Amino acid sequence: FLAVIGFVIVTVMVSLVTPKYVRRVSDLGTIKSFGFALLVGLATCLVAPFLMFMLAITVVGIYAAFVLGVAFLLTILVGGALVAYRLGRFMFSDKAGVFMTALVGALVLGVVGVVPVVGWLVVVLSVFIGVGMIVLGLKSEYAHDVVVAEMPAKKPRKAKQ
């Protein structure tokens, strides 16, 4: 019961603090890109712990592994909140405000997550999808900022007469 309340609080806080980011990234979890976000999240959740382990076995990488671990845990937490917000948007179809959308989505996801047989599957899938949405959101955000250096075009010389 306390986990559901904590999840609702985190979801509402994330949605109220960064509403534009939550709306933009939750659009990556639509029905069309649902499977792709799931695969990206699964790959990220498999690669990140391995990368943390590989960094931790080196003396220099221990601190980097710690920072990566904290970032990974925050990504899992925020990813669940993004999935809950997306669920709320699916239910309300942009008719409700950010607070109500996040609250209802988190309550529904939290209650379904408590169901004994199906709950763990819903929680795991929502974590994978949420992490995938965050990774895809970071990719799309930084893909537009790539600067490509190009050589200036040479101007044709005029022929002397």
Side-chain angles (χ1 to χ4, degrees):
F1 180 71
L2 291 176
V4 174
I5 292 174
F7 179 68
V8 169
I9 290 171
V10 167
T11 302
V12 170
M13 286 178 55
V14 167
S15 299
L16 289 177
V17 170
T18 59
K20 289 180 183 178
Y21 175 78
V22 169
R23 182 175 293 252
R24 184 175 52 81
V25 173
S26 71
D27 286 338
L28 297 171
T30 59
I31 299 299
K32 288 191 277 187
S33 61
F34 175 80
F36 189 61
L38 179 67
L39 288 176
V40 169
L42 177 65
T44 303
C45 288
L46 292 175
V47 169
F50 176 74
L51 184 61
M52 286 185 281
F53 174 74
M54 295 304 287
L55 285 171
I57 61 175
T58 66
V59 175
V60 178
I62 291 174
Y63 297 113
F66 176 74
V67 170
L68 183 62
V70 170
F72 184 60
L73 290 176
L74 287 174
T75 302
I76 289 173
L77 187 67
V78 172
L82 291 174
V83 171
Y85 181 80
R86 181 66 200 164
L87 180 63
R89 279 187 65 192
F90 179 74
M91 293 170 65
F92 285 124
S93 66
D94 290 336
K95 292 179 182 168
V98 174
F99 176 77
M100 188 57 73
T101 302
L103 180 68
V104 170
L107 281 173
V108 169
L109 193 60
V111 168
V112 171
V114 176
V115 174
V117 177
V118 182
W120 66 271
L121 182 64
V122 170
V123 169
V124 168
L125 286 176
S126 67
V127 165
F128 288 159
I129 294 167
V131 170
M133 287 191 313
I134 290 175
V135 170
L136 290 173
L138 288 173
K139 179 193 167 287
S140 68
E141 186 172 322
Y142 289 111
H144 300 295
D145 295 337
V146 175
V147 177
V148 178
E150 294 182 5
M151 296 295 293
K154 291 185 177 182
K155 296 180 182 178
R157 294 185 186 184
K158 293 183 181 179
K160 291 186 179 181
Q161 296 177 347

